[in-house]
Amino acid sequence: MYLYYTKDKGVKKMDEKKEIKISLSTFFLILALLVIVIMAFFMYQLYNDKEIANNKVSALNSVSENATAGDDNQDSNNAIALDIESSLVKKLYNYVEKFNCYKETLVYQSNKVTENDLTNQLKLLTIFDNLDENDVSRTEYRYENEYITSNEHRIYSKDTIEKRAKEIFGENVSITHESFEPIFGESVVFANNEYDRYSYQGGGGTPWESSANILVSAEKYEDGTICIYDKYVHLVEVNGSYDIYSSSDKKEKLASNVDSTIIHGSVEGTQSSDLEKQRIQNVEKYLGKELPTYKHTFKQNSDGTYYWYSTEQTK
């Protein structure tokens, strides 16, 4: 809009369009600035999202580390000693299978083991070693042959075995129902949702692999966790002598071709309850050092009872 003077010295208004010309270089400069602004915005968003994701990962790692520390190191909890002769400690210690005549790896291994690491046969063996007379559904006496005219068969229901499995290994335990042989001369047959346990003629014999263990101590922590400690040695018979291992998976051999009399010593007059302790002591004396200690951890079910959670070797 312009102002101009007339001859009458009056002022008049006059509209006039003014052309604005933008050079090509200026246009591209503006466009480049817009692109830079947009890219900066998206880069900021990307960086911000990455920071959020990293924070979440760090938080999860922290939770995981804390959980692992809670399993592996309970020094932060004040522990109280438990009587190893108490009924609770004896009951829980029996959840740890200590012998298998079929050379199956037990919970005494080089690495930490939990229920997921155990074979199904070992779970069943542990369950049947913890049954009592109240678990028997019925007892039958059957004719086997002319020499065994009345053989005892103890029948257990599938539900009873599953209940015991949860009691020993926790509520989330997984087992497969199948037949197996717990010891020489004994069979457990699964059929029609029942287990039939009986002895048969022709069993027996000396196992090629053996073991010895001795209960050392037990303690309970503020979070309710119970830990039981024992010493263990695994023995493999080779031509009348023994190879000595620190675990049932036989990953660490401690000695070879050790005379059986060194390990077993004189058993004359020795009470059966002291034989395990004697073998441990004999092996330690021969090796000139203590055997490794194993820690068995027990946690609580929702009903307050305890179940075996893990076993690991400690130095």
mmCIF file of all heavy atoms in Angstrom, residues 148-177:
data_model
loop_
_atom_site.group_PDB
_atom_site.id
_atom_site.type_symbol
_atom_site.label_atom_id
_atom_site.label_comp_id
_atom_site.label_asym_id
_atom_site.label_seq_id
_atom_site.Cartn_x
_atom_site.Cartn_y
_atom_site.Cartn_z
ATOM 1 N N ILE A 148 7.804 -119.522 45.054
ATOM 2 C CA ILE A 148 7.212 -118.323 45.667
ATOM 3 C C ILE A 148 5.707 -118.406 45.441
ATOM 4 O O ILE A 148 5.177 -117.981 44.408
ATOM 5 C CB ILE A 148 7.781 -117.036 45.051
ATOM 6 C CG1 ILE A 148 9.313 -117.034 45.146
ATOM 7 C CG2 ILE A 148 7.229 -115.823 45.774
ATOM 8 C CD1 ILE A 148 9.954 -115.844 44.481
ATOM 9 N N THR A 149 5.031 -118.968 46.407
ATOM 10 C CA THR A 149 3.588 -119.189 46.246
ATOM 11 C C THR A 149 2.765 -118.002 46.719
ATOM 12 O O THR A 149 1.575 -117.915 46.404
ATOM 13 C CB THR A 149 3.170 -120.428 47.044
ATOM 14 O OG1 THR A 149 3.520 -120.253 48.420
ATOM 15 C CG2 THR A 149 3.865 -121.672 46.497
ATOM 16 N N SER A 150 3.380 -117.096 47.463
ATOM 17 C CA SER A 150 2.638 -115.934 47.955
ATOM 18 C C SER A 150 3.585 -114.742 48.050
ATOM 19 O O SER A 150 4.214 -114.500 49.083
ATOM 20 C CB SER A 150 2.023 -116.229 49.325
ATOM 21 O OG SER A 150 1.288 -115.124 49.788
ATOM 22 N N ASN A 151 3.689 -114.022 46.945
ATOM 23 C CA ASN A 151 4.600 -112.876 46.890
ATOM 24 C C ASN A 151 3.833 -111.582 47.157
ATOM 25 O O ASN A 151 2.768 -111.340 46.587
ATOM 26 C CB ASN A 151 5.279 -112.795 45.520
ATOM 27 C CG ASN A 151 6.477 -111.878 45.528
ATOM 28 O OD1 ASN A 151 7.060 -111.600 46.571
ATOM 29 N ND2 ASN A 151 6.857 -111.403 44.354
ATOM 30 N N GLU A 152 4.384 -110.743 48.022
ATOM 31 C CA GLU A 152 3.700 -109.494 48.401
ATOM 32 C C GLU A 152 3.833 -108.448 47.299
ATOM 33 O O GLU A 152 4.923 -108.153 46.821
ATOM 34 C CB GLU A 152 4.294 -108.948 49.702
ATOM 35 C CG GLU A 152 3.591 -107.683 50.194
ATOM 36 C CD GLU A 152 4.210 -107.143 51.464
ATOM 37 O OE1 GLU A 152 5.322 -106.583 51.379
ATOM 38 O OE2 GLU A 152 3.600 -107.294 52.540
ATOM 39 N N HIS A 153 2.695 -107.855 46.926
ATOM 40 C CA HIS A 153 2.652 -106.761 45.964
ATOM 41 C C HIS A 153 1.978 -105.564 46.637
ATOM 42 O O HIS A 153 0.816 -105.648 47.045
ATOM 43 C CB HIS A 153 1.848 -107.154 44.715
ATOM 44 C CG HIS A 153 2.542 -108.153 43.843
ATOM 45 N ND1 HIS A 153 3.012 -107.855 42.586
ATOM 46 C CD2 HIS A 153 2.843 -109.464 44.057
ATOM 47 C CE1 HIS A 153 3.569 -108.933 42.053
ATOM 48 N NE2 HIS A 153 3.466 -109.921 42.925
ATOM 49 N N ARG A 154 2.715 -104.472 46.756
ATOM 50 C CA ARG A 154 2.155 -103.254 47.335
ATOM 51 C C ARG A 154 1.718 -102.327 46.195
ATOM 52 O O ARG A 154 2.533 -101.973 45.324
ATOM 53 C CB ARG A 154 3.180 -102.568 48.238
ATOM 54 C CG ARG A 154 3.361 -103.260 49.590
ATOM 55 C CD ARG A 154 4.607 -102.787 50.294
ATOM 56 N NE ARG A 154 5.808 -103.252 49.609
ATOM 57 C CZ ARG A 154 7.040 -102.834 49.897
ATOM 58 N NH1 ARG A 154 7.213 -101.923 50.839
ATOM 59 N NH2 ARG A 154 8.079 -103.312 49.249
ATOM 60 N N ILE A 155 0.474 -101.916 46.243
ATOM 61 C CA ILE A 155 -0.124 -101.117 45.169
ATOM 62 C C ILE A 155 -0.250 -99.661 45.623
ATOM 63 O O ILE A 155 -0.756 -99.373 46.717
ATOM 64 C CB ILE A 155 -1.506 -101.663 44.776
ATOM 65 C CG1 ILE A 155 -1.449 -103.185 44.541
ATOM 66 C CG2 ILE A 155 -2.020 -100.937 43.533
ATOM 67 C CD1 ILE A 155 -0.477 -103.608 43.453
ATOM 68 N N TYR A 156 0.213 -98.744 44.742
ATOM 69 C CA TYR A 156 0.135 -97.303 45.015
ATOM 70 C C TYR A 156 -0.637 -96.635 43.876
ATOM 71 O O TYR A 156 -0.409 -96.948 42.697
ATOM 72 C CB TYR A 156 1.525 -96.675 45.107
ATOM 73 C CG TYR A 156 2.423 -97.291 46.156
ATOM 74 C CD1 TYR A 156 3.210 -98.402 45.846
ATOM 75 C CD2 TYR A 156 2.494 -96.769 47.439
ATOM 76 C CE1 TYR A 156 4.045 -98.964 46.796
ATOM 77 C CE2 TYR A 156 3.324 -97.328 48.402
ATOM 78 C CZ TYR A 156 4.102 -98.426 48.070
ATOM 79 O OH TYR A 156 4.921 -98.991 49.011
ATOM 80 N N SER A 157 -1.512 -95.723 44.223
ATOM 81 C CA SER A 157 -2.275 -95.024 43.191
ATOM 82 C C SER A 157 -1.414 -93.962 42.521
ATOM 83 O O SER A 157 -0.455 -93.440 43.106
ATOM 84 C CB SER A 157 -3.525 -94.375 43.791
ATOM 85 O OG SER A 157 -3.159 -93.283 44.621
ATOM 86 N N LYS A 158 -1.775 -93.639 41.301
ATOM 87 C CA LYS A 158 -1.100 -92.582 40.548
ATOM 88 C C LYS A 158 -1.197 -91.254 41.288
ATOM 89 O O LYS A 158 -0.216 -90.485 41.345
ATOM 90 C CB LYS A 158 -1.734 -92.471 39.160
ATOM 91 C CG LYS A 158 -1.232 -91.323 38.309
ATOM 92 C CD LYS A 158 -1.990 -91.281 36.993
ATOM 93 C CE LYS A 158 -1.615 -90.064 36.165
ATOM 94 N NZ LYS A 158 -2.399 -90.010 34.898
ATOM 95 N N ASP A 159 -2.351 -90.976 41.879
ATOM 96 C CA ASP A 159 -2.554 -89.709 42.600
ATOM 97 C C ASP A 159 -1.628 -89.607 43.801
ATOM 98 O O ASP A 159 -1.121 -88.522 44.118
ATOM 99 C CB ASP A 159 -4.014 -89.578 43.051
ATOM 100 C CG ASP A 159 -4.972 -89.411 41.883
ATOM 101 O OD1 ASP A 159 -4.506 -89.007 40.796
ATOM 102 O OD2 ASP A 159 -6.178 -89.666 42.051
ATOM 103 N N THR A 160 -1.397 -90.715 44.485
ATOM 104 C CA THR A 160 -0.511 -90.716 45.649
ATOM 105 C C THR A 160 0.913 -90.361 45.235
ATOM 106 O O THR A 160 1.592 -89.570 45.903
ATOM 107 C CB THR A 160 -0.520 -92.091 46.339
ATOM 108 O OG1 THR A 160 -1.831 -92.337 46.858
ATOM 109 C CG2 THR A 160 0.491 -92.140 47.473
ATOM 110 N N ILE A 161 1.365 -90.922 44.132
ATOM 111 C CA ILE A 161 2.721 -90.657 43.648
ATOM 112 C C ILE A 161 2.854 -89.194 43.227
ATOM 113 O O ILE A 161 3.873 -88.542 43.512
ATOM 114 C CB ILE A 161 3.080 -91.597 42.482
ATOM 115 C CG1 ILE A 161 2.975 -93.055 42.927
ATOM 116 C CG2 ILE A 161 4.459 -91.278 41.951
ATOM 117 C CD1 ILE A 161 3.784 -93.394 44.169
ATOM 118 N N GLU A 162 1.840 -88.661 42.571
ATOM 119 C CA GLU A 162 1.890 -87.261 42.151
ATOM 120 C C GLU A 162 1.891 -86.329 43.362
ATOM 121 O O GLU A 162 2.577 -85.300 43.369
ATOM 122 C CB GLU A 162 0.708 -86.946 41.235
ATOM 123 C CG GLU A 162 0.816 -87.612 39.870
ATOM 124 C CD GLU A 162 -0.369 -87.310 38.976
ATOM 125 O OE1 GLU A 162 -1.374 -86.755 39.497
ATOM 126 O OE2 GLU A 162 -0.305 -87.624 37.774
ATOM 127 N N LYS A 163 1.144 -86.686 44.387
ATOM 128 C CA LYS A 163 1.117 -85.883 45.611
ATOM 129 C C LYS A 163 2.481 -85.866 46.275
ATOM 130 O O LYS A 163 2.974 -84.821 46.712
ATOM 131 C CB LYS A 163 0.061 -86.444 46.573
ATOM 132 C CG LYS A 163 -0.039 -85.676 47.888
ATOM 133 C CD LYS A 163 -1.091 -86.305 48.794
ATOM 134 C CE LYS A 163 -1.148 -85.565 50.130
ATOM 135 N NZ LYS A 163 -2.161 -86.184 51.042
ATOM 136 N N ARG A 164 3.103 -87.035 46.359
ATOM 137 C CA ARG A 164 4.435 -87.126 46.942
ATOM 138 C C ARG A 164 5.463 -86.369 46.101
ATOM 139 O O ARG A 164 6.397 -85.759 46.632
ATOM 140 C CB ARG A 164 4.856 -88.587 47.072
ATOM 141 C CG ARG A 164 4.243 -89.295 48.245
ATOM 142 C CD ARG A 164 4.798 -88.786 49.564
ATOM 143 N NE ARG A 164 4.450 -89.643 50.688
ATOM 144 C CZ ARG A 164 4.868 -89.453 51.915
ATOM 145 N NH1 ARG A 164 5.644 -88.420 52.187
ATOM 146 N NH2 ARG A 164 4.509 -90.277 52.883
ATOM 147 N N ALA A 165 5.313 -86.407 44.793
ATOM 148 C CA ALA A 165 6.230 -85.700 43.902
ATOM 149 C C ALA A 165 6.217 -84.202 44.186
ATOM 150 O O ALA A 165 7.274 -83.560 44.251
ATOM 151 C CB ALA A 165 5.866 -85.971 42.446
ATOM 152 N N LYS A 166 5.031 -83.638 44.375
ATOM 153 C CA LYS A 166 4.910 -82.210 44.668
ATOM 154 C C LYS A 166 5.464 -81.881 46.052
ATOM 155 O O LYS A 166 6.027 -80.801 46.264
ATOM 156 C CB LYS A 166 3.444 -81.787 44.566
ATOM 157 C CG LYS A 166 2.888 -81.824 43.145
ATOM 158 C CD LYS A 166 1.427 -81.409 43.104
ATOM 159 C CE LYS A 166 0.898 -81.451 41.668
ATOM 160 N NZ LYS A 166 -0.536 -81.057 41.595
ATOM 161 N N GLU A 167 5.289 -82.803 46.977
ATOM 162 C CA GLU A 167 5.808 -82.599 48.324
ATOM 163 C C GLU A 167 7.329 -82.561 48.324
ATOM 164 O O GLU A 167 7.940 -81.751 49.028
ATOM 165 C CB GLU A 167 5.326 -83.719 49.241
ATOM 166 C CG GLU A 167 5.874 -83.648 50.667
ATOM 167 C CD GLU A 167 5.452 -84.843 51.493
ATOM 168 O OE1 GLU A 167 4.298 -85.300 51.326
ATOM 169 O OE2 GLU A 167 6.273 -85.336 52.289
ATOM 170 N N ILE A 168 7.954 -83.403 47.511
ATOM 171 C CA ILE A 168 9.410 -83.523 47.503
ATOM 172 C C ILE A 168 10.072 -82.505 46.583
ATOM 173 O O ILE A 168 11.085 -81.889 46.944
ATOM 174 C CB ILE A 168 9.824 -84.945 47.085
ATOM 175 C CG1 ILE A 168 9.330 -85.957 48.123
ATOM 176 C CG2 ILE A 168 11.341 -85.046 46.917
ATOM 177 C CD1 ILE A 168 9.483 -87.400 47.693
ATOM 178 N N PHE A 169 9.512 -82.301 45.380
ATOM 179 C CA PHE A 169 10.155 -81.473 44.360
ATOM 180 C C PHE A 169 9.453 -80.142 44.091
ATOM 181 O O PHE A 169 9.898 -79.386 43.229
ATOM 182 C CB PHE A 169 10.267 -82.255 43.048
ATOM 183 C CG PHE A 169 11.127 -83.476 43.142
ATOM 184 C CD1 PHE A 169 10.569 -84.743 43.076
ATOM 185 C CD2 PHE A 169 12.489 -83.373 43.317
ATOM 186 C CE1 PHE A 169 11.359 -85.877 43.163
ATOM 187 C CE2 PHE A 169 13.292 -84.507 43.399
ATOM 188 C CZ PHE A 169 12.723 -85.765 43.329
ATOM 189 N N GLY A 170 8.377 -79.857 44.785
ATOM 190 C CA GLY A 170 7.685 -78.592 44.562
ATOM 191 C C GLY A 170 6.434 -78.751 43.729
ATOM 192 O O GLY A 170 6.253 -79.727 43.009
ATOM 193 N N GLU A 171 5.567 -77.761 43.817
ATOM 194 C CA GLU A 171 4.252 -77.841 43.180
ATOM 195 C C GLU A 171 4.305 -77.845 41.658
ATOM 196 O O GLU A 171 3.371 -78.273 40.999
ATOM 197 C CB GLU A 171 3.390 -76.678 43.671
ATOM 198 C CG GLU A 171 3.101 -76.753 45.177
ATOM 199 C CD GLU A 171 2.519 -75.470 45.742
ATOM 200 O OE1 GLU A 171 2.580 -74.441 45.029
ATOM 201 O OE2 GLU A 171 2.014 -75.487 46.868
ATOM 202 N N ASN A 172 5.409 -77.377 41.083
ATOM 203 C CA ASN A 172 5.516 -77.311 39.624
ATOM 204 C C ASN A 172 6.311 -78.479 39.035
ATOM 205 O O ASN A 172 6.741 -78.428 37.886
ATOM 206 C CB ASN A 172 6.185 -75.991 39.216
ATOM 207 C CG ASN A 172 5.355 -74.781 39.590
ATOM 208 O OD1 ASN A 172 4.128 -74.802 39.476
ATOM 209 N ND2 ASN A 172 6.009 -73.730 40.051
ATOM 210 N N VAL A 173 6.495 -79.526 39.805
ATOM 211 C CA VAL A 173 7.271 -80.664 39.344
ATOM 212 C C VAL A 173 6.605 -81.350 38.151
ATOM 213 O O VAL A 173 5.381 -81.348 38.013
ATOM 214 C CB VAL A 173 7.470 -81.690 40.490
ATOM 215 C CG1 VAL A 173 6.132 -82.259 40.922
ATOM 216 C CG2 VAL A 173 8.411 -82.814 40.076
ATOM 217 N N SER A 174 7.423 -81.921 37.294
ATOM 218 C CA SER A 174 6.920 -82.660 36.138
ATOM 219 C C SER A 174 7.493 -84.073 36.182
ATOM 220 O O SER A 174 8.717 -84.252 36.230
ATOM 221 C CB SER A 174 7.339 -81.965 34.839
ATOM 222 O OG SER A 174 7.010 -82.746 33.715
ATOM 223 N N ILE A 175 6.616 -85.077 36.203
ATOM 224 C CA ILE A 175 7.072 -86.471 36.170
ATOM 225 C C ILE A 175 6.295 -87.236 35.099
ATOM 226 O O ILE A 175 5.170 -86.878 34.756
ATOM 227 C CB ILE A 175 6.900 -87.178 37.536
ATOM 228 C CG1 ILE A 175 5.419 -87.232 37.928
ATOM 229 C CG2 ILE A 175 7.733 -86.529 38.602
ATOM 230 C CD1 ILE A 175 5.158 -88.118 39.147
ATOM 231 N N THR A 176 6.926 -88.285 34.602
ATOM 232 C CA THR A 176 6.284 -89.191 33.652
ATOM 233 C C THR A 176 6.067 -90.521 34.363
ATOM 234 O O THR A 176 6.998 -91.070 34.955
ATOM 235 C CB THR A 176 7.161 -89.412 32.413
ATOM 236 O OG1 THR A 176 7.396 -88.152 31.775
ATOM 237 C CG2 THR A 176 6.492 -90.364 31.439
ATOM 238 N N HIS A 177 4.861 -91.042 34.307
ATOM 239 C CA HIS A 177 4.564 -92.308 34.981
ATOM 240 C C HIS A 177 5.061 -93.463 34.121
ATOM 241 O O HIS A 177 4.657 -93.628 32.970
ATOM 242 C CB HIS A 177 3.055 -92.424 35.230
ATOM 243 C CG HIS A 177 2.539 -91.403 36.196
ATOM 244 N ND1 HIS A 177 2.754 -91.488 37.547
ATOM 245 C CD2 HIS A 177 1.823 -90.265 35.989
ATOM 246 C CE1 HIS A 177 2.187 -90.454 38.155
ATOM 247 N NE2 HIS A 177 1.625 -89.690 37.224
#
